[in-house]
PDB file of all heavy atoms in Angstrom:
ATOM      1  N   GLY A   8     -35.158  35.182  71.507  1.00 44.00           N
ATOM      2  CA  GLY A   8     -36.387  34.700  72.219  1.00 44.00           C
ATOM      3  C   GLY A   8     -36.108  33.480  73.131  1.00 44.00           C
ATOM      4  O   GLY A   8     -36.575  33.386  74.278  1.00 44.00           O
ATOM      5  N   LEU A   9     -35.323  32.582  72.628  1.00 45.00           N
ATOM      6  CA  LEU A   9     -34.900  31.396  73.411  1.00 45.00           C
ATOM      7  C   LEU A   9     -34.042  31.769  74.614  1.00 45.00           C
ATOM      8  O   LEU A   9     -34.103  31.112  75.637  1.00 45.00           O
ATOM      9  CB  LEU A   9     -34.327  30.304  72.549  1.00 45.00           C
ATOM     10  CG  LEU A   9     -35.282  29.685  71.569  1.00 45.00           C
ATOM     11  CD1 LEU A   9     -34.524  28.787  70.560  1.00 45.00           C
ATOM     12  CD2 LEU A   9     -36.430  28.935  72.193  1.00 45.00           C
ATOM     13  N   LEU A  10     -33.176  32.754  74.380  1.00 45.00           N
ATOM     14  CA  LEU A  10     -32.268  33.155  75.401  1.00 45.00           C
ATOM     15  C   LEU A  10     -32.933  33.959  76.556  1.00 45.00           C
ATOM     16  O   LEU A  10     -32.730  33.715  77.724  1.00 45.00           O
ATOM     17  CB  LEU A  10     -31.157  33.974  74.838  1.00 45.00           C
ATOM     18  CG  LEU A  10     -29.908  33.231  74.192  1.00 45.00           C
ATOM     19  CD1 LEU A  10     -29.017  34.233  73.490  1.00 45.00           C
ATOM     20  CD2 LEU A  10     -29.152  32.417  75.199  1.00 45.00           C
ATOM     21  N   TYR A  11     -33.761  34.927  76.097  1.00 44.00           N
ATOM     22  CA  TYR A  11     -34.299  35.923  77.046  1.00 44.00           C
ATOM     23  C   TYR A  11     -35.819  35.884  77.304  1.00 44.00           C
ATOM     24  O   TYR A  11     -36.357  36.562  78.173  1.00 44.00           O
ATOM     25  CB  TYR A  11     -33.877  37.302  76.600  1.00 44.00           C
ATOM     26  CG  TYR A  11     -32.413  37.490  76.475  1.00 44.00           C
ATOM     27  CD1 TYR A  11     -31.874  37.952  75.285  1.00 44.00           C
ATOM     28  CD2 TYR A  11     -31.515  37.244  77.560  1.00 44.00           C
ATOM     29  CE1 TYR A  11     -30.482  38.131  75.140  1.00 44.00           C
ATOM     30  CE2 TYR A  11     -30.184  37.423  77.426  1.00 44.00           C
ATOM     31  CZ  TYR A  11     -29.663  37.906  76.186  1.00 44.00           C
ATOM     32  OH  TYR A  11     -28.348  38.071  76.136  1.00 44.00           O
ATOM     33  N   GLY A  12     -36.539  35.155  76.429  1.00 47.00           N
ATOM     34  CA  GLY A  12     -38.005  35.086  76.552  1.00 47.00           C
ATOM     35  C   GLY A  12     -38.456  34.318  77.769  1.00 47.00           C
ATOM     36  O   GLY A  12     -37.658  33.595  78.436  1.00 47.00           O
ATOM     37  N   LYS A  13     -39.736  34.418  78.056  1.00 49.00           N
ATOM     38  CA  LYS A  13     -40.291  33.735  79.228  1.00 49.00           C
ATOM     39  C   LYS A  13     -40.712  32.305  78.756  1.00 49.00           C
ATOM     40  O   LYS A  13     -41.851  31.955  78.566  1.00 49.00           O
ATOM     41  CB  LYS A  13     -41.523  34.481  79.751  1.00 49.00           C
ATOM     42  CG  LYS A  13     -41.179  35.793  80.358  1.00 49.00           C
ATOM     43  CD  LYS A  13     -42.473  36.510  80.966  1.00 49.00           C
ATOM     44  CE  LYS A  13     -42.053  37.765  81.621  1.00 49.00           C
ATOM     45  NZ  LYS A  13     -43.267  38.474  82.190  1.00 49.00           N
ATOM     46  N   LYS A  14     -39.700  31.433  78.620  1.00 50.00           N
ATOM     47  CA  LYS A  14     -39.873  30.058  78.214  1.00 50.00           C
ATOM     48  C   LYS A  14     -40.876  29.900  77.033  1.00 50.00           C
ATOM     49  O   LYS A  14     -41.913  29.337  77.197  1.00 50.00           O
ATOM     50  CB  LYS A  14     -40.341  29.257  79.467  1.00 50.00           C
ATOM     51  CG  LYS A  14     -39.302  29.203  80.594  1.00 50.00           C
ATOM     52  CD  LYS A  14     -39.666  28.233  81.617  1.00 50.00           C
ATOM     53  CE  LYS A  14     -38.643  28.182  82.806  1.00 50.00           C
ATOM     54  NZ  LYS A  14     -37.237  27.867  82.341  1.00 50.00           N
ATOM     55  N   PRO A  15     -40.456  30.453  75.928  1.00 52.00           N
ATOM     56  CA  PRO A  15     -41.442  30.543  74.792  1.00 52.00           C
ATOM     57  C   PRO A  15     -41.941  29.141  74.306  1.00 52.00           C
ATOM     58  O   PRO A  15     -43.039  29.002  73.813  1.00 52.00           O
ATOM     59  CB  PRO A  15     -40.664  31.263  73.694  1.00 52.00           C
ATOM     60  CG  PRO A  15     -39.259  31.040  74.039  1.00 52.00           C
ATOM     61  CD  PRO A  15     -39.184  31.026  75.532  1.00 52.00           C
ATOM     62  N   LEU A  16     -41.107  28.130  74.397  1.00 61.00           N
ATOM     63  CA  LEU A  16     -41.514  26.848  73.843  1.00 61.00           C
ATOM     64  C   LEU A  16     -42.673  26.259  74.615  1.00 61.00           C
ATOM     65  O   LEU A  16     -43.629  25.675  74.071  1.00 61.00           O
ATOM     66  CB  LEU A  16     -40.382  25.819  73.853  1.00 61.00           C
ATOM     67  CG  LEU A  16     -39.183  26.190  72.987  1.00 61.00           C
ATOM     68  CD1 LEU A  16     -38.124  25.120  73.007  1.00 61.00           C
ATOM     69  CD2 LEU A  16     -39.618  26.398  71.501  1.00 61.00           C
ATOM     70  N   SER A  17     -42.660  26.469  75.928  1.00 60.00           N
ATOM     71  CA  SER A  17     -43.757  25.829  76.776  1.00 60.00           C
ATOM     72  C   SER A  17     -44.838  26.746  77.138  1.00 60.00           C
ATOM     73  O   SER A  17     -45.909  26.332  77.616  1.00 60.00           O
ATOM     74  CB  SER A  17     -43.098  25.253  78.065  1.00 60.00           C
ATOM     75  OG  SER A  17     -42.486  26.283  78.789  1.00 60.00           O
ATOM     76  N   ASP A  18     -44.676  28.103  76.856  1.00 71.00           N
ATOM     77  CA  ASP A  18     -45.688  29.074  77.213  1.00 71.00           C
ATOM     78  C   ASP A  18     -46.425  29.737  76.033  1.00 71.00           C
ATOM     79  O   ASP A  18     -47.547  30.235  76.174  1.00 71.00           O
ATOM     80  CB  ASP A  18     -45.119  30.113  78.103  1.00 71.00           C
ATOM     81  CG  ASP A  18     -44.783  29.604  79.530  1.00 71.00           C
ATOM     82  OD1 ASP A  18     -44.866  28.419  79.717  1.00 71.00           O
ATOM     83  OD2 ASP A  18     -44.335  30.429  80.431  1.00 71.00           O
ATOM     84  N   ASN A  19     -45.736  29.720  74.873  1.00 77.00           N
ATOM     85  CA  ASN A  19     -46.379  30.297  73.679  1.00 77.00           C
ATOM     86  C   ASN A  19     -47.666  29.555  73.281  1.00 77.00           C
ATOM     87  O   ASN A  19     -47.842  28.315  73.631  1.00 77.00           O
ATOM     88  CB  ASN A  19     -45.445  30.281  72.567  1.00 77.00           C
ATOM     89  CG  ASN A  19     -44.417  31.447  72.547  1.00 77.00           C
ATOM     90  OD1 ASN A  19     -44.229  32.042  73.567  1.00 77.00           O
ATOM     91  ND2 ASN A  19     -43.782  31.648  71.426  1.00 77.00           N
ATOM     92  N   TYR A  20     -48.514  30.216  72.513  1.00 81.00           N
ATOM     93  CA  TYR A  20     -49.618  29.559  71.880  1.00 81.00           C
ATOM     94  C   TYR A  20     -49.044  28.369  71.059  1.00 81.00           C
ATOM     95  O   TYR A  20     -48.084  28.502  70.366  1.00 81.00           O
ATOM     96  CB  TYR A  20     -50.293  30.540  70.940  1.00 81.00           C
ATOM     97  CG  TYR A  20     -51.395  29.904  70.049  1.00 81.00           C
ATOM     98  CD1 TYR A  20     -52.648  29.832  70.508  1.00 81.00           C
ATOM     99  CD2 TYR A  20     -51.071  29.409  68.817  1.00 81.00           C
ATOM    100  CE1 TYR A  20     -53.706  29.217  69.763  1.00 81.00           C
ATOM    101  CE2 TYR A  20     -52.077  28.863  68.000  1.00 81.00           C
ATOM    102  CZ  TYR A  20     -53.403  28.816  68.521  1.00 81.00           C
ATOM    103  OH  TYR A  20     -54.351  28.277  67.724  1.00 81.00           O
ATOM    104  N   ARG A  21     -49.733  27.222  71.160  1.00 88.00           N
ATOM    105  CA  ARG A  21     -49.216  26.024  70.503  1.00 88.00           C
ATOM    106  C   ARG A  21     -50.359  24.994  70.264  1.00 88.00           C
ATOM    107  O   ARG A  21     -51.341  24.997  71.023  1.00 88.00           O
ATOM    108  CB  ARG A  21     -48.100  25.404  71.261  1.00 88.00           C
ATOM    109  CG  ARG A  21     -48.412  24.941  72.666  1.00 88.00           C
ATOM    110  CD  ARG A  21     -47.123  24.813  73.525  1.00 88.00           C
ATOM    111  NE  ARG A  21     -47.404  24.352  74.855  1.00 88.00           N
ATOM    112  CZ  ARG A  21     -47.873  25.176  75.852  1.00 88.00           C
ATOM    113  NH1 ARG A  21     -48.092  26.476  75.634  1.00 88.00           N
ATOM    114  NH2 ARG A  21     -48.127  24.641  77.069  1.00 88.00           N
ATOM    115  N   ILE A  22     -50.186  24.193  69.286  1.00 92.00           N
ATOM    116  CA  ILE A  22     -51.085  23.112  69.072  1.00 92.00           C
ATOM    117  C   ILE A  22     -50.338  21.760  69.265  1.00 92.00           C
ATOM    118  O   ILE A  22     -49.308  21.533  68.655  1.00 92.00           O
ATOM    119  CB  ILE A  22     -51.710  23.127  67.629  1.00 92.00           C
ATOM    120  CG1 ILE A  22     -52.479  24.428  67.433  1.00 92.00           C
ATOM    121  CG2 ILE A  22     -52.582  21.880  67.353  1.00 92.00           C
ATOM    122  CD1 ILE A  22     -53.214  24.596  66.024  1.00 92.00           C
ATOM    123  N   ILE A  23     -50.859  20.989  70.159  1.00 95.00           N
ATOM    124  CA  ILE A  23     -50.166  19.731  70.568  1.00 95.00           C
ATOM    125  C   ILE A  23     -50.873  18.589  69.965  1.00 95.00           C
ATOM    126  O   ILE A  23     -52.096  18.356  70.125  1.00 95.00           O
ATOM    127  CB  ILE A  23     -50.123  19.653  72.088  1.00 95.00           C
ATOM    128  CG1 ILE A  23     -49.356  20.890  72.688  1.00 95.00           C
ATOM    129  CG2 ILE A  23     -49.486  18.277  72.604  1.00 95.00           C
ATOM    130  CD1 ILE A  23     -49.703  21.137  74.147  1.00 95.00           C
ATOM    131  N   SER A  24     -50.184  17.740  69.223  1.00 97.00           N
ATOM    132  CA  SER A  24     -50.780  16.530  68.604  1.00 97.00           C
ATOM    133  C   SER A  24     -50.041  15.325  69.145  1.00 97.00           C
ATOM    134  O   SER A  24     -48.809  15.249  69.127  1.00 97.00           O
ATOM    135  CB  SER A  24     -50.594  16.563  67.114  1.00 97.00           C
ATOM    136  OG  SER A  24     -51.146  17.747  66.536  1.00 97.00           O
ATOM    137  N   ILE A  25     -50.748  14.323  69.704  1.00 97.00           N
ATOM    138  CA  ILE A  25     -50.235  13.082  70.119  1.00 97.00           C
ATOM    139  C   ILE A  25     -50.510  12.016  69.095  1.00 97.00           C
ATOM    140  O   ILE A  25     -51.648  11.665  68.827  1.00 97.00           O
ATOM    141  CB  ILE A  25     -50.799  12.715  71.573  1.00 97.00           C
ATOM    142  CG1 ILE A  25     -50.631  13.795  72.499  1.00 97.00           C
ATOM    143  CG2 ILE A  25     -50.155  11.385  71.995  1.00 97.00           C
ATOM    144  CD1 ILE A  25     -49.156  14.209  72.815  1.00 97.00           C
ATOM    145  N   LEU A  26     -49.435  11.491  68.502  1.00 97.00           N
ATOM    146  CA  LEU A  26     -49.510  10.565  67.420  1.00 97.00           C
ATOM    147  C   LEU A  26     -49.126   9.169  67.926  1.00 97.00           C
ATOM    148  O   LEU A  26     -48.088   8.985  68.499  1.00 97.00           O
ATOM    149  CB  LEU A  26     -48.632  10.966  66.308  1.00 97.00           C
ATOM    150  CG  LEU A  26     -48.536  10.119  65.009  1.00 97.00           C
ATOM    151  CD1 LEU A  26     -49.906  10.054  64.352  1.00 97.00           C
ATOM    152  CD2 LEU A  26     -47.477  10.704  64.076  1.00 97.00           C
ATOM    153  N   GLU A  27     -49.994   8.174  67.781  1.00 96.00           N
ATOM    154  CA  GLU A  27     -49.766   6.839  68.194  1.00 96.00           C
ATOM    155  C   GLU A  27     -49.431   5.916  67.033  1.00 96.00           C
ATOM    156  O   GLU A  27     -50.091   5.968  66.011  1.00 96.00           O
ATOM    157  CB  GLU A  27     -50.947   6.252  68.927  1.00 96.00           C
ATOM    158  CG  GLU A  27     -51.341   7.021  70.174  1.00 96.00           C
ATOM    159  CD  GLU A  27     -50.780   6.391  71.458  1.00 96.00           C
ATOM    160  OE1 GLU A  27     -50.105   5.333  71.355  1.00 96.00           O
ATOM    161  OE2 GLU A  27     -50.988   6.951  72.529  1.00 96.00           O
ATOM    162  N   ASN A  28     -48.339   5.190  67.196  1.00 94.00           N
ATOM    163  CA  ASN A  28     -47.908   4.185  66.134  1.00 94.00           C
ATOM    164  C   ASN A  28     -47.364   2.969  66.820  1.00 94.00           C
ATOM    165  O   ASN A  28     -46.388   3.026  67.673  1.00 94.00           O
ATOM    166  CB  ASN A  28     -46.832   4.829  65.267  1.00 94.00           C
ATOM    167  CG  ASN A  28     -46.339   3.907  64.148  1.00 94.00           C
ATOM    168  OD1 ASN A  28     -45.757   2.837  64.439  1.00 94.00           O
ATOM    169  ND2 ASN A  28     -46.505   4.320  62.887  1.00 94.00           N
ATOM    170  N   ALA A  29     -47.968   1.808  66.565  1.00 89.00           N
ATOM    171  CA  ALA A  29     -47.474   0.536  67.153  1.00 89.00           C
ATOM    172  C   ALA A  29     -47.370   0.576  68.689  1.00 89.00           C
ATOM    173  O   ALA A  29     -46.376  -0.014  69.195  1.00 89.00           O
ATOM    174  CB  ALA A  29     -46.179   0.108  66.441  1.00 89.00           C
ATOM    175  N   GLY A  30     -48.249   1.195  69.311  1.00 91.00           N
ATOM    176  CA  GLY A  30     -48.222   1.274  70.783  1.00 91.00           C
ATOM    177  C   GLY A  30     -47.302   2.288  71.340  1.00 91.00           C
ATOM    178  O   GLY A  30     -47.280   2.437  72.589  1.00 91.00           O
ATOM    179  N   SER A  31     -46.674   3.071  70.603  1.00 94.00           N
ATOM    180  CA  SER A  31     -45.737   4.145  71.030  1.00 94.00           C
ATOM    181  C   SER A  31     -46.352   5.517  70.703  1.00 94.00           C
ATOM    182  O   SER A  31     -46.990   5.706  69.716  1.00 94.00           O
ATOM    183  CB  SER A  31     -44.340   4.077  70.385  1.00 94.00           C
ATOM    184  OG  SER A  31     -43.740   2.868  70.810  1.00 94.00           O
ATOM    185  N   ALA A  32     -46.094   6.484  71.653  1.00 96.00           N
ATOM    186  CA  ALA A  32     -46.641   7.820  71.473  1.00 96.00           C
ATOM    187  C   ALA A  32     -45.561   8.727  71.055  1.00 96.00           C
ATOM    188  O   ALA A  32     -44.421   8.684  71.525  1.00 96.00           O
ATOM    189  CB  ALA A  32     -47.232   8.319  72.743  1.00 96.00           C
ATOM    190  N   PHE A  33     -45.921   9.670  70.191  1.00 97.00           N
ATOM    191  CA  PHE A  33     -44.962  10.717  69.692  1.00 97.00           C
ATOM    192  C   PHE A  33     -45.758  12.013  69.794  1.00 97.00           C
ATOM    193  O   PHE A  33     -46.888  12.095  69.389  1.00 97.00           O
ATOM    194  CB  PHE A  33     -44.578  10.508  68.238  1.00 97.00           C
ATOM    195  CG  PHE A  33     -43.913   9.124  67.997  1.00 97.00           C
ATOM    196  CD1 PHE A  33     -44.655   8.002  67.816  1.00 97.00           C
ATOM    197  CD2 PHE A  33     -42.536   9.067  67.981  1.00 97.00           C
ATOM    198  CE1 PHE A  33     -44.125   6.782  67.583  1.00 97.00           C
ATOM    199  CE2 PHE A  33     -41.911   7.818  67.763  1.00 97.00           C
ATOM    200  CZ  PHE A  33     -42.734   6.654  67.624  1.00 97.00           C
ATOM    201  N   ALA A  34     -45.131  13.027  70.377  1.00 97.00           N
ATOM    202  CA  ALA A  34     -45.747  14.362  70.495  1.00 97.00           C
ATOM    203  C   ALA A  34     -45.178  15.231  69.413  1.00 97.00           C
ATOM    204  O   ALA A  34     -43.967  15.334  69.226  1.00 97.00           O
ATOM    205  CB  ALA A  34     -45.452  14.974  71.872  1.00 97.00           C
ATOM    206  N   VAL A  35     -46.050  15.905  68.654  1.00 97.00           N
ATOM    207  CA  VAL A  35     -45.648  16.840  67.633  1.00 97.00           C
ATOM    208  C   VAL A  35     -46.312  18.172  68.057  1.00 97.00           C
ATOM    209  O   VAL A  35     -47.525  18.404  67.949  1.00 97.00           O
ATOM    210  CB  VAL A  35     -46.211  16.447  66.226  1.00 97.00           C
ATOM    211  CG1 VAL A  35     -45.714  17.394  65.213  1.00 97.00           C
ATOM    212  CG2 VAL A  35     -45.793  14.990  65.896  1.00 97.00           C
ATOM    213  N   ILE A  36     -45.429  19.058  68.585  1.00 94.00           N
ATOM    214  CA  ILE A  36     -45.843  20.303  69.219  1.00 94.00           C
ATOM    215  C   ILE A  36     -45.518  21.434  68.288  1.00 94.00           C
ATOM    216  O   ILE A  36     -44.331  21.772  68.066  1.00 94.00           O
ATOM    217  CB  ILE A  36     -45.287  20.475  70.541  1.00 94.00           C
ATOM    218  CG1 ILE A  36     -45.627  19.234  71.432  1.00 94.00           C
ATOM    219  CG2 ILE A  36     -45.769  21.732  71.274  1.00 94.00           C
ATOM    220  CD1 ILE A  36     -44.734  19.041  72.701  1.00 94.00           C
ATOM    221  N   LYS A  37     -46.523  22.093  67.821  1.00 92.00           N
ATOM    222  CA  LYS A  37     -46.322  23.224  66.893  1.00 92.00           C
ATOM    223  C   LYS A  37     -46.494  24.519  67.686  1.00 92.00           C
ATOM    224  O   LYS A  37     -47.549  24.772  68.289  1.00 92.00           O
ATOM    225  CB  LYS A  37     -47.417  23.147  65.778  1.00 92.00           C
ATOM    226  CG  LYS A  37     -47.299  21.916  64.947  1.00 92.00           C
ATOM    227  CD  LYS A  37     -48.548  21.491  64.214  1.00 92.00           C
ATOM    228  CE  LYS A  37     -49.650  20.940  65.104  1.00 92.00           C
ATOM    229  NZ  LYS A  37     -49.229  19.617  65.689  1.00 92.00           N
ATOM    230  N   VAL A  38     -45.391  25.353  67.740  1.00 88.00           N
ATOM    231  CA  VAL A  38     -45.267  26.492  68.623  1.00 88.00           C
ATOM    232  C   VAL A  38     -45.455  27.798  67.822  1.00 88.00           C
ATOM    233  O   VAL A  38     -44.664  28.093  66.854  1.00 88.00           O
ATOM    234  CB  VAL A  38     -44.003  26.465  69.368  1.00 88.00           C
ATOM    235  CG1 VAL A  38     -43.928  27.648  70.377  1.00 88.00           C
ATOM    236  CG2 VAL A  38     -43.753  25.160  70.101  1.00 88.00           C
ATOM    237  N   GLY A  39     -46.357  28.648  68.214  1.00 80.00           N
ATOM    238  CA  GLY A  39     -46.615  29.901  67.538  1.00 80.00           C
ATOM    239  C   GLY A  39     -45.525  30.867  67.809  1.00 80.00           C
ATOM    240  O   GLY A  39     -44.791  30.760  68.852  1.00 80.00           O
ATOM    241  N   ALA A  40     -45.414  31.884  66.970  1.00 71.00           N
ATOM    242  CA  ALA A  40     -44.343  32.912  67.117  1.00 71.00           C
ATOM    243  C   ALA A  40     -44.950  34.253  67.508  1.00 71.00           C
ATOM    244  O   ALA A  40     -46.191  34.415  67.505  1.00 71.00           O
ATOM    245  CB  ALA A  40     -43.569  33.066  65.779  1.00 71.00           C
TER     246      ALA A  40
END
């Protein structure tokens, strides 16, 4: 899928969570299969 799919990480169904800690942001992106 990663080799031949249509950019599955950025186009698949996903839930994006932006987590803030001490002024810094962390993205936790859960990608559906």
